[in-house]
């Protein structure tokens, strides 16, 4: 991995701060009932994404994740205005308002969701990687999951096949400590989730998920291994979410003191500290970044507010139909 330069730190700061403010705005409009259903926010986990994007080749690599999925597609290149519009259920959204908060998707930018079924994305991630190997592409798939999803049998089936076929996939567990409101210690005999890879002789290990530098370093090694034909890797990103599992989470399972302790290692604050220590930007330049981000978030909200809801007729246009589907013949 190349040296982390001034430009990288400034990009990380701007990106992560924008993702944080984007999610904060969604929380605000959710309370106003402009966004409906469930809403799972990424606050606190931004370093996992920032470090990974630095290691990826965004011209070909893919990403798939669970339902805490608003800022990942933005990082992959999707217009944030369209992401917010999707959350508002508007026709200008990434799925024309039909997917909503848990199902952001962009084939164009190789972001394959956004999946509401816990662990449902894990075999799909292996499948994306299988397609690349079959087509002799050197693209790599990053397949994310929460700590609760590793209890699913689909993970073990996917790990086994990924090793058997040496698929170009990096499995990433974003371990924020709680599967909804249940701690890892209450559901797993071993709290070292990364050790699940050992049973399949898969390269694996823990990573400080609050530090984008560490994330970028470990992700670079895993991606290069996959791209060069070395097969899959399983990384446990030890991170933390500052908000509840979803907006309906009362958070009775943890103390305010615990949350405040983790805020002392906030990834955005860590990056900002480096920027200030190394004098990569003046106070005025840092303030300018904040104002730029505030304006962009407002622009996203305005776009979503002013966009139309999809027409009722759209409900009948969103079902895939292929009359000449191979191997199937319909006879009346």
């Amino acid at each position: 991995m190349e040296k982390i330069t001034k430009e990288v730190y400034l990009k990380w700061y701007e990106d992560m701060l924008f993702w944080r403010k984007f999610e904060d705005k969604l929380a605000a409009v959710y309370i106003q009932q402009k966004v409906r259903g469930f809403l799972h926010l990424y606050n606190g986990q931004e370093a996992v994404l920032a470090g990974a994007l630095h290691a990826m080749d965004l011209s070909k690599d893919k990403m798939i994740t669970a339902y805490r999925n608003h800022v990942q597609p933005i990082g992959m290149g999707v217009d944030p205005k369209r992401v917010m519009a999707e959350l508002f259920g508007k026709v200008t959204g990434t799925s024309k308002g039909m997917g909503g908060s848990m199902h952001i998707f962009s084939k164009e930018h190789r972001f394959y969701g956004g999946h509401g079924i816990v662990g449902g994305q894990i075999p799909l991630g292996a499948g994306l990687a299988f397609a690349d190997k079959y087509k002799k592409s050197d693209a790599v798939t990053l397949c994310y999951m929460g700590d609760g999803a590793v209890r699913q049998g689909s993970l073990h089936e996917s790990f086994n096949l990924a090793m058997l076929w040496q698929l170009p996939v990096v499995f990433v567990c974003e371990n924020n400590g709680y599967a909804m409101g249940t701690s890892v210690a209450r559901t797993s005999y071993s709290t070292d989730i990364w050790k699940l890879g050992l049973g399949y002789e898969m390269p694996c290990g823990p990573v400080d998920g609050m530090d984008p530098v560490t994330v970028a370093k470990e992700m670079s090694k895993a991606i290069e291994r996959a791209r060069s034909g070395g097969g899959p890797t399983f990384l446990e990103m030890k991170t933390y979410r500052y908000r509840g599992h979803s907006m309906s989470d009362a958070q009775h399972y943890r103390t305010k003191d615990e949350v405040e302790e983790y805020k002392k290692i906030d990834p955005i604050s860590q990056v900002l500290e480096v920027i200030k220590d190394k004098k990569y930007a003046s106070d005025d330049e840092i303030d300018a970044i904040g104002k730029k981000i505030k304006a962009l978030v407002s622009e996203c909200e305005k776009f979503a507010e002013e966009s139309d809801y999809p027409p009722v007729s759209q409900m009948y246009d969103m079902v895939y139909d292929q009359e000449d589907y191979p191997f199937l013949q319909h006879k009346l």
Side-chain angles (χ1 to χ4, degrees), residues 219-245:
M219 288 297 295
S220 291
K221 290 192 290 187
I223 289 172
E224 179 54 35
R225 179 184 297 120
R227 205 182 307 284
S228 62
T233 301
F234 178 46
L235 298 176
E236 178 191 353
M237 301 285 174
K238 295 181 179 292
T239 184
Y240 198 80
R241 53 172 165 78
Y242 297 144
R243 290 184 176 268
H245 169 73

Side-chain angles (χ1 to χ4, degrees), residues 126-161:
L128 289 167
F130 177 82
D132 280 325
K133 181 159 187 174
Y134 183 82
K135 295 175 181 178
K136 295 181 170 55
S137 164
D138 67 342
V140 176
T141 295
L142 274 60
C143 179
Y144 287 85
M145 69 208 73
D147 46 277
V150 302
R151 316 283 177 256
Q152 294 283 13
S154 60
L155 174 131
H156 299 277
E157 295 170 349
S158 300
F159 275 20
N160 183 55
L161 289 177

Side-chain angles (χ1 to χ4, degrees), residues 43-117:
N43 299 40
Q45 301 182 205
E46 293 91 351
V48 177
L49 178 59
L53 291 172
H54 182 73
M56 296 173 70
D57 183 339
L58 293 180
S59 70
K60 57 187 171 184
D61 292 342
K62 303 175 175 67
M63 187 181 291
I64 188 169
T65 188
Y67 40 76
R68 201 177 303 279
N69 71 136
H70 311 142
V71 298
Q72 291 91 336
I74 295 172
M76 295 283 284
V78 177
D79 185 341
K81 295 194 296 293
R82 295 192 65 214
V83 175
M84 188 164 285
E86 184 61 38
L87 281 138
F88 273 63
K90 298 299 184 70
V91 73
T92 52
T94 50
S95 296
K96 298 184 178 181
M98 304 290 281
S101 169
M102 300 170 74
H103 305 286
I104 310 298
F105 192 96
S106 175
K107 182 180 179 181
E108 177 188 358
H109 294 283
R110 291 166 293 282
F111 181 75
Y112 292 91
H115 293 268
I117 297 175

Side-chain angles (χ1 to χ4, degrees), residues 22-35 39 41 243 247 301:
F22 187 91
E23 296 284 59
D24 286 345
K25 174 58 69 175
L26 288 174
V29 296
Y30 185 88
I31 293 170
Q32 298 169 20
Q33 297 189 346
K34 294 177 181 178
V35 171
L39 186 70
L41 305 177
R243 290 184 176 268
M247 286 294 290
E301 182 185 16

Side-chain angles (χ1 to χ4, degrees), residues 6-22:
K6 166 186 172 180
E7 290 72 25
V8 172
Y9 271 105
L10 289 172
K11 177 173 173 51
W12 276 347
Y13 177 67
E14 185 170 329
D15 285 349
M16 291 195 296
L17 186 60
F18 174 64
W19 300 337
R20 179 74 58 85
K21 297 301 182 182
F22 187 91

